[in-house]
Amino acid sequence: MRPRLSTLVSSLACLCLLPVVGQSAEPAAPLRQQVEVLQAGQMRVDKVKEGLYVVRGPFVPCTTRGCRPNGPDDGLIHEPGDVAIRATPEGLILIDDKYPENILEVLSQVRSVSSLPIRYLLNTHHHADHVSGNANLRALGIDIIGHRNIRENFLRIKQPGEPNIVFADEGALYLGGVEVRMLHYGNGHTNGDTIVYFPDLKTVHMGDLVIDGMPVIDYSAGGSAIAFVKTIDKLLELDFDTAIPGHGRVMTKAEVQAYRARFQEMNNRMRALAKKRFPREQLLSLDQARIQLKLADLGWENSVSTIAFMNSIGQYYDEMAAAP
Ligand SMILES: [Zn+2]
């Protein structure tokens, strides 16, 4: 794995900012997110830690589902959700499975790291770019585990492949001496966001609670910007050093902390706009949203998820206007 610029920068910052008596030893995180600029390419598998892999890509232009006649083109390369593979002596645990058209390639990437069978599939949430391979895997006899709200969201929008095993807020799976925990800390991106925690590896898969881009709030599925930050706060209480996002490169815990800080800053800005009655309809324009929310400060002026974020900016305004 090549060294990440952000890791080098934070190492340098730690060398420069020695602790001073009476002050925090923690260097202030830079507000701007240094997102990875993706290049077009095939699906690939990367080793995260011993027994844990992430499947990235395919990396394609335009929207997350490729170029469409009427779809917005932000000029960026996109990828469906990050898939994780946890290998145990008794078989594999898969986390998410991308789009249905990706499933054969996902299975091929799985086979490239282990010949053991996939025993369970876990879902981080119900969105199509993460779990549309579910029906194919269920047809192979693989059990799918998800928060009960994930199953309800599948059924509500008539999406095939709903989880057949559910839990309420916290679940755990023990296979081959490996513990995998599933944690729902509240609403955020959706009402079913599940953090998959590998305590022995001090690693989490965060689903779309944290991505290498700006946060997206799915109000149609119980998403909430205010609850989102609180959920990330609870995630940060876990003992981990490595974090797989819903989309993009593997992150450090410091990067997740920085993500939380810039999300709170954006909430503060939106709340201030709503409280001074900045016209809601003007914010529906991407250009105005960029200016008024100062998205460039956050590194989110043209991230892979900025267009998706804009789909709910009116509801975001309404939520912050109603906030105390
Ligand atoms: Zn999502």
Side-chain angles (χ1 to χ4, degrees):
M1 186 188 293
R2 64 192 168 80
R4 289 193 299 274
L5 180 61
S6 53
T7 308
L8 296 173
V9 169
S10 73
S11 304
L12 290 170
C14 289
L15 289 173
C16 299
L17 297 174
L18 293 171
V20 177
V21 174
Q23 291 186 9
S24 166
E26 282 288 312
L31 197 58
R32 183 181 171 83
Q33 184 174 3
Q34 301 294 335
V35 297
E36 178 187 20
V37 178
L38 302 176
Q39 305 297 319
Q42 302 294 309
M43 197 183 293
R44 68 166 199 263
V45 64
D46 298 335
K47 184 174 179 180
V48 179
K49 289 189 177 180
E50 200 61 45
L52 182 65
Y53 304 85
V54 63
V55 182
R56 302 268 320 266
F59 304 90
V60 294
C62 300
T63 67
T64 48
R65 210 148 187 182
C67 296
R68 291 177 293 191
N70 301 314
D73 180 1
D74 56 14
L76 299 174
I77 298 294
H78 294 260
E79 61 178 321
D82 285 15
V83 165
I85 307 164
R86 182 68 210 263
T88 87
E90 292 179 11
L92 308 178
I93 301 163
L94 205 63
I95 295 90
D96 290 351
D97 50 42
K98 303 184 188 275
Y99 284 123
E101 59 266 33
N102 303 134
I103 194 65
L104 289 178
E105 178 64 16
V106 169
L107 292 175
S108 169
Q109 297 292 342
V110 171
R111 290 282 78 87
S112 76
V113 299
S114 173
S115 58
L116 290 173
I118 299 170
R119 296 285 304 279
Y120 297 98
L121 168 66
L122 315 184
N123 286 168
T124 60
H125 63 301
H126 72 286
H127 283 159
D129 53 332
H130 297 261
V131 294
S132 293
N134 273 22
N136 302 67
L137 295 175
R138 186 75 194 106
L140 297 174
I142 297 167
D143 282 320
I144 306 173
I145 308 176
H147 188 274
R148 60 186 178 187
N149 291 348
I150 298 179
R151 178 180 164 90
E152 285 173 15
N153 287 331
F154 265 86
L155 299 176
R156 177 174 52 81
I157 63 174
K158 298 183 169 48
Q159 180 170 277
E162 69 276 7
N164 61 307
I165 299 173
V166 300
F167 60 92
D169 300 340
E170 185 162 348
L173 176 60
Y174 300 89
L175 183 69
V178 170
E179 178 187 19
V180 181
R181 295 174 63 193
M182 292 154 275
L183 306 164
H184 172 71
Y185 284 144
N187 295 12
H189 175 65
T190 68
N191 64 358
D193 303 316
T194 297
I195 297 148
V196 180
Y197 181 38
F198 308 101
D200 59 326
L201 299 181
K202 295 190 187 243
T203 300
V204 286
H205 188 317
M206 309 178 287
D208 280 351
L209 285 169
V210 179
I211 60 178
D212 200 24
M214 79 181 297
V216 174
I217 310 150
D218 182 355
Y219 286 93
S220 73
S224 153
I226 294 170
F228 209 132
V229 174
K230 291 178 182 166
T231 298
I232 295 174
D233 280 339
K234 289 182 188 148
L235 155 67
L236 283 166
E237 289 175 16
L238 291 170
D239 180 18
F240 70 93
D241 56 31
T242 303
I244 300 169
H247 296 267
R249 66 196 164 80
V250 175
M251 299 178 177
T252 63
K253 189 169 194 177
E255 287 177 298
V256 178
Q257 287 164 332
Y259 195 84
R260 186 264 182 220
R262 66 177 71 90
F263 196 164
Q264 182 61 51
E265 175 62 25
M266 183 170 72
N267 280 355
N268 295 345
R269 291 174 185 178
M270 182 57 107
R271 184 177 181 281
L273 287 168
K275 295 299 178 191
K276 74 175 186 187
R277 301 186 189 282
F278 183 88
R280 182 186 191 273
E281 61 278 10
Q282 284 189 32
L283 273 181
L284 303 183
S285 129
L286 177 56
D287 285 344
Q288 273 301 313
R290 282 174 173 148
I291 294 166
Q292 299 301 333
L293 291 172
K294 301 178 188 154
L295 295 185
D297 286 5
L298 306 171
W300 294 341
E301 72 275 28
N302 194 35
S303 77
V304 290
S305 45
T306 302
I307 296 291
F309 162 82
M310 286 301 297
N311 289 335
S312 60
I313 192 165
Q315 291 154 296
Y316 182 27
Y317 179 100
D318 296 339
E319 181 184 4
M320 300 316 285

